[in-house]
């Protein structure tokens, strides 16, 4: 199964900054959860809960305490001991390691200006990630640039998405799905938006 089938079925991905919110994410309408905070021990337990509930679990390597965000061994640890479905990272070399470990690799990009946009497009071309997470997620022009250039790769808009209207704008711009921490959006489906 490719990442598009994993994240493209529902528009919202629960982005958890606090692992304590895992239960609420599990009972919500989301199919996938991005872990963006917590310790290694908390993440191991939370991913197990998520997987038991039949949902996808993705670990943002750079935001978990106790994980190195530069070592390729971190990716093997996530695959072998945490049991996540994939990783999210701005580090290109970890995307290649994710593929070796049979994990989805989502390249996290901050697009803050024209140079960052150009560099981000080049990075996607060079790395061939399974998906791209763009921040901030409310910039239609950025989303459109990536979906036009890489329509075969799921584009996940992330950051500053707080309302149903903002979610709709991102999807209309071409985003496959949205990674949001705003819990009031977790129950939205494509039909709702």
């Amino acid at each position: 199964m490719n990442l598009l089938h994993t994240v493209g079925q529902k528009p919202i991905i629960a982005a958890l900054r606090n692992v304590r919110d895992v239960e609420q994410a599990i009972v919500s309408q989301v199919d996938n959860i991005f872990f963006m905070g917590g310790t290694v021990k908390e993440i191991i337990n939370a991913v197990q809960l998520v997987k038991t509930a039949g949902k996808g679990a993705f670990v943002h390597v750079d935001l978990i305490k106790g994980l190195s965000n530069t070592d390729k061994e971190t990716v093997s640890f996530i695959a072998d001991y945490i049991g996540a479905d994939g990783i999210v990272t701005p580090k290109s070399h970890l995307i290649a390691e994710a593929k070796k470990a049979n994990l989805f690799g989502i390249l996290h990009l901050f697009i803050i200006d024209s140079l960052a946009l150009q560099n981000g497009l080049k990075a996607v071309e060079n790395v061939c990630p399974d998906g791209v997470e763009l921040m901030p997620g409310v910039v239609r022009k950025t989303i459109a640039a990536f979906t036009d250039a890489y329509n075969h790769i799921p584009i996940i808009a992330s950051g500053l998405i707080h309302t149903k209207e903002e979610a709709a704008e991102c999807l209309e711009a071409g985003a496959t799905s949205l990674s949001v921490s705003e819990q009031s959006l977790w129950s939205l489906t494509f039909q709702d938006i």
Side-chain angles (χ1 to χ4, degrees), residues 9-89:
Q9 301 302 312
K10 291 189 180 171
I12 305 296
I13 297 167
L16 302 185
R17 289 190 179 100
N18 192 323
V19 178
R20 289 185 304 237
D21 295 330
V22 72
E23 291 291 341
Q24 188 167 354
I26 288 172
V27 299
S28 76
Q29 293 297 314
V30 302
D31 284 343
N32 295 287
I33 299 169
F34 283 8
F35 289 98
M36 302 171 49
T39 66
V40 172
K41 184 176 179 181
E42 290 171 329
I43 295 302
I44 290 171
N45 294 332
V47 166
Q48 185 176 44
L49 289 172
V50 168
K51 299 305 293 177
T52 299
K55 297 184 184 248
F58 296 80
V59 175
H60 198 306
V61 177
D62 296 52
L63 302 177
I64 306 304
K65 294 175 186 171
L67 289 179
S68 168
N69 61 9
T70 58
D71 296 338
K72 65 182 184 176
E73 291 79 12
T74 294
V75 178
S76 296
F77 181 81
I78 291 170
D80 297 341
Y81 297 101
I82 295 179
D85 295 289
I87 64 166
V88 181
T89 181

